[in-house]
Amino acid sequence: MKSGRAGLLTVLSVTTALACLPIGGEMVPGALAATADGRRPIHKPGHHRRPVADGGVVAVTQAPVRPARRRAAAASPEAIDVVAHASRFGFDAQQHQAGSTTMLSEEALISHHVNTVMDLQKLVPNLTIQTESGSNAPSFYLRGIGLEDYTQNNMPSVMTYFDGVAYPLSPMSSGQMFDIATVGVDPGPVGFTHGMADTGGEVRIESRAPTRTLHYGASEDLATRDRSKTTLYVSGPITNSLQYRLAGQTVQGGAYRFNRVSGQSIGNANLGALRGRLAWQPDAKTDIDLIANWSMDESDAAAGFILDDFSAVSHMPRDRNIYATGWSLNPAFAKLVGIAPHSIPSYDDVTWGITLKAARDLGWATLQTIGNFSQQQRHEYVDRDASAFRSGDSFFAGNSNVFSQEVSLKGRPVLDGRLEWIAGLYYNRARAFGANWFDMSDTAGYIRDSFHNQPQENFSQFATLDYHITHTVKFTFGLQHQSDTRSLVGDTVAQYYYLPSATKRAHCGADPAPCASANPFPTHGALTNQFSGKVGLSWQARPNLLLYADIARGVKPGGFTTNTTVANVQIQPFKPEWVLAYEVGFKSDFFRRRLRLNGALFWDDYHDKQMLGTLVIPGALGAYNPEGAPGTYGSYINIPHAQLWGTEVQIEANPIRGLTLSQSIGYLRGKYTDYQQVNSAAVAANFTRTGFYSPVYTNYDGADMGMPKLTLNGQVSYETRPVFRRYTLTFEGNYSYRDLQDSLQPRGSGVYVVPAYFLMGGSITFKPRNGRWFVSAYASNILNRHYIDVVPVAATTVLMGISGEPRFVGGRFGCDF
């Protein structure tokens, strides 16, 4: 497969150059304004356009009509024009909608080098995205609400949507961040107007739609450490009522970590993705959109470095270089999981999906449907002890598919335009198989495999009413009901013994050959049948000032622990979590829309929070207990109560022509108010003294929840006046600051801390005024800060940290016709 990917890279790189050659037909100066659905109307031939003082455009003199089949091209084909009196900052409609949504444009995503969903935390206040122990699965935490789920078999607390499709399994959301039009991040309970209910919020990603006129382009990004990113697209009409769009991307290279013994590099990207869209308008009242996605990730894994080694056998010292790591693949382990014996930690993930969207104007309402089928195969080899010592080598294999269908009606305003409404149904069906392998040959003398099947179904109904009490005051009521059923079927733990030990003799007798034992568990089921709701009040106090307040209740279904389960007590289902969220905020534009200032205050009562914790099966070693052998076990638990509160501020300014400033500020505090957790160290000490396992609890009431308290993201951009009359220079700088992050559950040791870090980036871009091509030079992490990007984890005997990216210097060039 890697050779196929190299071929794709070659094709895309060559096409980057070819795509910048104009296709026949005269290029008529002017710009095409985008319609609400992303398609571009065809202007009448002969109409010229000129700029006006406030940045809008007006049609002027009638010129002679040119010969037929001449295509009017946009000055910047894929850019949206600014209409008369429009804001300089974009997303005007959101300024009149209650809520603290963060909206991101394609330009913002490019300038901050957002390649995957995990990079979004650079741009959104109070958003934290973590990978799990170097795996390729993201876990989202928005305003402190999130779930750490290594095996990713449970529904996330923050839902990801691609083109309106919910992804209830987080790994499916990776690999599609290219040819993106917008990203919207909504904190707090969601699911009242579409999709699924959730407690933490949602990330909505919309790809670019097909256009009614021919547009095409390509870009190449080359940086240090042989990193490259190639992107291309072509979009246009097939007939008057049928349009298409094809886009592709590949990312290669960029390794900056190395094996501390051999010096071998690790961390090269090897990703490829394709997307195709067809838009069809069979009549004036109907729109149909067909979308197909495919992505493959064969990148090296995010290897870690050693912070501390607790083993009495390996005695590995702490790494002084945070980019150093180590691994050693056991041939027996490689044979069992089916990978090459000389593999380095890496991914082999394939995701694809098909979406069919339709909208029909019924006169009194608009009928909308979204159907999707997505499938993913995951194969990930990760070394979780960052050493050649075989105590934490892990391999995750998964095969998952999700079918979903949503149907909704959005009514036209009634009662003299005072009442607006939307109601709908949502259904999804998921089938997931997962196997989690651990190589503990050097510590326990065996290799363990924990595998399971998890069927799941969710049926939801939602409705939202907006009633305008006055012309400027609006009352909102939303209600959502969901029924979620899921089962854990065939959950089994198998152990393969290779080294002579008392444990092996107990399972294998005197046979010197390797042997295996298996322990299947009974089927378990979990049901969630709950309501979510929202009430809100907004006041458009002035045309440029919106005030709002709302209260919302959100629910997330329960689930199962599947990461290396060895005792029946671990796979008992955990309960749903729910949150009661309060928010007040404002949105405002000042100084003729040269300054935008939005802010919000929030308070969340967080109930039955789902978290990976510890359970104890009491008894002496060798004693019988139907729940499993006595000892301490990792398992998901529910924390009865916690509180979160904070603020978010977003500022955009355009003080002088060409200068744009943006700043987001997130401040978050959270504490547990009812939480008693097993103290594993005290349990071990008591066992050493008495020979008996018994639970010892520590009260964490009042303990901090560990999320970063302060997140800052800022950008400054200055576009010069025309150079040589036809060209512009744009200077851009950005920064990101994240406060100290503790472990996601209080352990009290202090070693699970991600220290605060500050990153800076910048670029300079040269392009013609018509935007047909560009050349850009950039640097990320200009100060070359060494920082930890993921909360350290202790898989078995080693506490491992994962470093963030060092400085990258590169250039981008491309064209857009």
Side-chain angles (χ1 to χ4, degrees), residues 84-200:
H85 305 297
S87 167
R88 292 168 169 80
F89 309 117
F91 302 114
D92 271 1
Q94 284 73 23
Q95 284 297 102
H96 302 283
Q97 298 172 1
S100 49
T101 302
T102 298
M103 295 299 301
L104 304 173
S105 66
E106 181 186 32
E107 291 75 16
L109 300 175
I110 291 174
S111 65
H112 286 79
H113 306 286
V114 175
N115 295 318
T116 69
V117 293
M118 289 175 279
D119 295 324
L120 291 174
Q121 69 175 5
K122 304 173 184 176
L123 295 165
V124 181
N126 291 326
L127 174 64
T128 297
I129 306 174
Q130 303 276 284
T131 59
E132 301 301 335
S133 306
S135 76
N136 204 20
S139 293
F140 292 79
Y141 304 84
L142 189 51
R143 291 182 175 176
I145 297 178
L147 176 68
E148 178 187 11
D149 188 9
Y150 168 66
T151 51
Q152 298 288 312
N153 63 294
N154 297 300
M155 178 174 154
S157 299
V158 179
M159 188 65 63
T160 305
Y161 287 78
F162 270 96
D163 290 323
V165 176
Y167 283 80
L169 299 173
S170 289
M172 288 187 172
S173 64
S174 60
Q176 299 190 45
M177 289 295 293
F178 68 99
D179 201 43
I180 298 299
T182 62
V183 174
V185 181
D186 292 324
V190 290
F192 309 110
T193 61
H194 61 272
M196 301 181 68
D198 216 337
T199 48

Side-chain angles (χ1 to χ4, degrees), residues 211-267:
T211 53
R212 290 184 180 271
T213 54
L214 178 62
H215 297 298
Y216 58 95
S219 67
E220 183 71 43
D221 186 327
L222 302 173
T224 48
R225 302 176 180 86
D226 297 323
R227 188 179 72 182
S228 67
K229 180 171 71 172
T230 307
T231 306
L232 58 85
Y233 79 92
V234 59
S235 177
I238 299 175
T239 68
N240 288 337
S241 60
L242 183 64
Q243 304 85 40
Y244 72 96
R245 187 180 189 93
L246 297 173
Q249 183 181 82
T250 181
V251 182
Q252 303 288 323
Y256 54 87
R257 300 184 179 99
F258 62 93
N259 188 302
R260 69 176 67 86
V261 176
S262 67
Q264 181 180 358
S265 64
I266 185 172

Side-chain angles (χ1 to χ4, degrees), residues 243-511:
Q243 304 85 40
Y244 72 96
R245 187 180 189 93
L246 297 173
Q249 183 181 82
T250 181
V251 182
Q252 303 288 323
Y256 54 87
R257 300 184 179 99
F258 62 93
N259 188 302
R260 69 176 67 86
V261 176
S262 67
Q264 181 180 358
S265 64
I266 185 172
N268 280 313
N270 189 8
L271 300 95
L274 296 170
R275 180 182 297 116
R277 294 188 64 162
L278 282 175
W280 179 36
Q281 306 83 46
D283 57 51
K285 295 184 177 182
T286 307
D287 288 285
I288 297 174
D289 197 0
L290 179 65
I291 308 171
N293 292 290
W294 172 89
S295 66
M296 179 181 288
D297 189 349
E298 294 181 344
S299 304
D300 298 345
F305 67 97
I306 295 174
L307 280 168
D308 198 2
D309 185 357
F310 309 116
S311 171
V313 180
S314 55
H315 300 295
M316 292 292 294
R318 178 188 178 110
D319 281 313
R320 299 303 174 186
N321 187 327
I322 67 171
Y323 305 126
T325 188
W327 66 89
S328 175
L329 180 58
N330 185 344
F333 185 68
K335 183 177 180 179
L336 280 174
V337 302
I339 60 178
H342 300 293
S343 298
I344 67 173
S346 57
Y347 314 132
D348 185 4
D349 300 339
V350 178
T351 306
W352 65 272
I354 298 178
T355 301
L356 180 63
K357 304 169 69 173
R360 172 72 177 179
D361 186 353
L362 304 177
W364 56 276
T366 299
L367 174 65
Q368 297 176 312
T369 68
I370 304 176
N372 172 267
F373 180 82
S374 295
Q375 185 168 25
Q376 182 180 62
Q377 293 181 330
R378 290 178 65 200
H379 302 90
E380 300 179 5
Y381 161 43
V382 179
D383 193 303
R384 300 178 71 189
D385 60 16
S387 73
F389 195 65
R390 292 158 185 168
S391 64
D393 290 20
S394 180
F395 184 83
F396 182 84
N399 190 344
S400 305
N401 65 76
V402 178
F403 167 77
S404 65
Q405 179 66 58
E406 180 178 326
V407 180
S408 65
L409 281 170
K410 184 176 183 179
R412 287 194 173 179
V414 295
L415 301 178
D416 295 327
R418 288 179 177 271
L419 180 65
E420 301 173 81
W421 60 273
I422 185 170
L425 306 172
Y426 174 85
Y427 170 80
N428 82 33
R429 173 187 180 275
R431 296 293 182 265
F433 166 79
N436 190 22
W437 296 78
F438 258 95
D439 185 359
M440 296 179 283
S441 307
D442 291 344
T443 53
Y446 57 78
I447 296 171
R448 174 181 289 161
D449 176 24
S450 177
F451 56 91
H452 68 278
N453 286 282
Q454 183 174 291
Q456 174 265 330
E457 285 185 298
N458 184 290
F459 181 56
S460 303
Q461 311 87 47
F462 56 84
T464 293
L465 303 176
D466 289 329
Y467 182 74
H468 293 264
I469 301 173
T470 70
H471 182 66
T472 59
V473 178
K474 182 173 69 175
F475 172 76
T476 298
F477 173 74
L479 187 65
Q480 199 269 5
H481 171 263
Q482 68 172 321
S483 175
D484 183 278
T485 58
R486 56 188 66 207
S487 303
L488 195 62
V489 180
D491 189 77
T492 303
V493 174
Q495 297 187 159
Y496 301 82
Y497 300 90
Y498 287 87
L499 301 179
S501 64
T503 306
K504 180 182 177 182
R505 287 194 298 272
H507 288 276
C508 310
D511 189 351

